[in-house]
Amino acid sequence: MDNGAQARLAAARVIDAVLHHGRSLKAELSTALAGIDDVRDRALVEAMAFAAIRHQGRYAAALSRWMPRPPGARDAPLRALIYAGFAQLDPMGLPAHAALNATVDAARLLGRAHQAGLVNALLRRAQKDGLPTAGADAAWPAWLLAEVRANWPQDVEAILTASAAAAPQWLRVNTRRVTRDAYYTRLIQAGLQADVPDDMPDALRLATPVPVDALPGFADGDVSIQDGAAQRVADALMPAAGARLLDACAAPGGKSAHLLERDPALQLLAIDIAAPRVARIDQTFRRLGIGAQARVRAADALDPARWWDGTPFDAVLLDAPCSATGIVRRQPDVLLHRRPADLDALAALQAQLLDALVAVVAPGGTLLYATCSILRRENATQVEGFLARHPDFALEPLDARFGRDTGAGHQRLPGESGMDGFFYARLKRLR
Ligand SMILES: C[S@@+](CC[C@H](N)C(=O)[O-])C[C@H]1O[C@@H](n2cnc3c(N)ncnc32)[C@H](O)[C@@H]1O
């Protein structure tokens, strides 16, 4: 049986883990994709999983409408497979006969041969009647939506719409190895259409996302995948040539790598509390051919006594753990997994991290606070609190490239300039 049933089964397993067992979409996908050889199958599994998580509210409404008793906990894997089937019809728009046959066969692979007829009937119903529509707000938990609405009353509709859309694929060219213009030409020669975004010196944006192994020279380190908003961190920090730089929450290493591509002479210490993720920083540096002099270690940024040699840093990047509410389009499961208590804990951790890092910033040095959140309490409110606690720091101006000025840092909202939602505050330690 090789009509794509295995790909549907793989997608159903990912969807089941995320929807019913609280697992992370990114982590589940990366494990599932590692076991699939065919590049098109990998793209298909990824597309089904993303679409099913984004549209799970509509799909649940369809099952409630069309079934007297929708699948319960014991039938959770079946529900996940039906969602993978719905995703192929809407929004992916695959040919219905292929979607139906392969998904029905996948029900057999799932050990649900006795329910193959049910899967077939539901997919035919979806094809004939269409799946229910829903506003972009339906995917957001009420408490989180209320906070976004209170924070951004004028922009909430745009935020919801951008968060429900598939994200474009931003590339960061490794200008140590190849110029952006030369890489652009290679993309075109490979048949990939790309834009050259304004005012972004290292960035290109693909019209249609592709798996990394379809990108010319990816394995050789010519290019990385990184959203434009994340690339802006290097512009916001702008360390002096050869500066002593600390990346305090560095894994998997995207922003450190960008900074080193721009200036290999930086004296970088990259730390992160999550040891398995620290290994990914090393892998990233090796692939890109950078960071031979960098020090990379697993360490708790809250406890500098354990990792700091006492020589202050000219520049410190705190790309803090956060709600990820600015990147819902890339991590739609954020809306399933976040709880109000997580937000309280994150805001407390961010303040502690800021306070702990004060000691390691040199007089005249810079602390860049960044998050991929759109919530004020993780962003501007956090910076206001920091400045009140630390009068020896001042906010430095940033310009409109970093989004709108909140008065205490700059906020990019999701979708603006095609980018993720992101926050940047450049804090200078007074001499
Ligand atoms: C937003 S991610 C960093 C992304 C990274 N800067 C990049 O560009 O690839 C936040 C990171 O903070 C780390 N983290 C959380 N608490 C930490 C702590 N107390 N000390 C150091 N790292 C911490 C997490 O493990 C996570 O990798």
Side-chain angles (χ1 to χ4, degrees):
M1 185 189 301
D2 193 20
N3 58 358
Q6 291 288 0
R8 274 69 180 184
L9 178 67
R13 292 208 163 117
V14 171
I15 296 163
D16 184 34
V18 175
L19 279 186
H20 307 127
H21 303 283
R23 309 293 276 270
S24 137
L25 175 59
K26 207 164 147 189
E28 291 299 314
L29 259 181
S30 105
T31 309
L33 297 185
I36 301 175
D37 291 335
D38 187 295
V39 74
R40 282 161 310 178
D41 279 349
R42 285 206 293 274
L44 181 62
V45 171
E46 185 165 328
M48 283 187 279
F50 263 92
I53 301 304
R54 274 197 191 107
H55 295 273
Q56 53 92 22
R58 295 170 56 216
Y59 300 168
L63 293 188
S64 302
R65 201 175 290 177
W66 296 339
M67 298 175 79
R69 267 190 305 129
R74 268 197 314 149
D75 286 326
L78 184 77
R79 177 186 280 269
L81 179 64
I82 296 167
Y83 286 10
F86 287 164
Q88 294 163 66
L89 301 174
D90 173 4
M92 291 167 67
L94 297 190
H97 62 93
L100 258 75
N101 289 341
T103 310
V104 169
D105 283 346
R108 298 193 179 98
L109 294 178
L110 195 62
R112 301 280 176 152
H114 57 292
Q115 287 163 315
L118 171 67
V119 172
N120 188 39
L122 287 165
L123 296 191
R124 284 194 187 284
R125 179 83 186 255
Q127 184 196 357
K128 186 161 96 12
D129 295 355
L131 287 152
T133 53
D137 57 347
W140 289 68
W143 64 272
L144 188 54
L145 181 58
E147 186 159 339
V148 172
R149 199 180 288 288
N151 287 181
W152 303 106
Q154 312 294 325
D155 304 283
V156 63
E157 292 310 324
I159 291 170
L160 297 181
T161 305
S163 300
Q169 192 173 39
W170 286 80
L171 307 181
R172 188 188 79 234
V173 178
N174 180 358
T175 49
R176 283 289 115 202
R177 292 178 55 87
V178 54
T179 64
R180 181 176 65 165
D181 288 352
Y183 193 78
Y184 175 78
T185 306
R186 282 167 67 190
L187 284 178
I188 302 299
Q189 283 165 349
L192 300 172
Q193 293 299 316
D195 307 326
V196 183
D198 286 343
D199 215 4
M200 299 283 300
D202 312 317
L204 293 167
R205 203 171 46 207
L206 290 186
T208 311
V210 297
V212 289
D213 33 14
L215 292 170
F218 181 86
D220 300 329
D222 292 349
V223 72
S224 299
I225 294 182
Q226 188 177 49
D227 191 83
Q231 295 189 43
R232 277 284 182 238
V233 165
D235 297 326
L237 187 58
M238 277 219 306
R244 271 178 63 83
L245 168 67
L246 170 70
D247 186 347
C249 289
K255 299 182 188 75
S256 273
H258 190 199
L259 288 157
L260 283 173
E261 286 168 4
R262 287 196 171 176
D263 178 10
L266 286 173
Q267 301 169 60
L268 171 69
L269 172 62
I271 65 170
D272 197 284
I273 199 163
R277 284 167 62 80
V278 171
R280 293 184 53 202
I281 307 179
D282 287 319
Q283 287 162 10
T284 302
F285 287 2
R286 261 200 307 277
R287 181 180 64 82
L288 295 168
I290 55 173
Q293 317 299 325
R295 288 173 302 143
V296 176
R297 49 188 286 203
D300 183 351
L302 291 174
D303 193 4
R306 299 180 78 94
W307 47 262
W308 185 40
D309 64 8
T311 312
F313 292 94
D314 309 307
V316 173
L317 170 58
L318 174 55
D319 183 23
C322 74
S323 62
T325 39
I327 56 168
V328 168
R329 60 188 196 155
R330 293 189 191 283
Q331 294 186 20
D333 53 326
V334 161
L335 300 180
L336 295 172
H337 300 332
R338 284 275 173 256
R339 300 286 176 268
D342 302 341
L343 258 290
D344 298 337
L346 281 166
L349 175 61
Q350 290 152 1
Q352 286 166 8
L353 284 165
L354 279 163
D355 289 349
L357 292 171
V358 157
V360 309
V361 182
T366 303
L367 169 59
L368 185 76
Y369 177 68
T371 72
C372 58
S373 166
I374 55 171
L375 302 181
R376 275 192 202 281
R377 61 171 147 153
E378 297 184 276
N379 294 341
T381 307
Q382 201 63 266
V383 170
E384 285 159 3
F386 175 83
L387 290 169
R389 293 192 301 278
H390 301 284
D392 52 334
F393 276 77
L395 188 66
E396 288 209 313
L398 291 171
D399 59 43
R401 286 175 303 157
F402 302 92
R404 64 191 72 189
D405 188 355
T406 66
H410 271 59
Q411 180 78 56
R412 161 86 55 214
L413 292 178
E416 289 176 350
S417 304
M419 295 184 193
D420 287 343
F422 226 88
F423 178 80
Y424 318 81
R426 199 178 142 93
L427 301 157
K428 186 179 170 107
R429 182 167 194 176
L430 305 174
R431 282 178 196 282

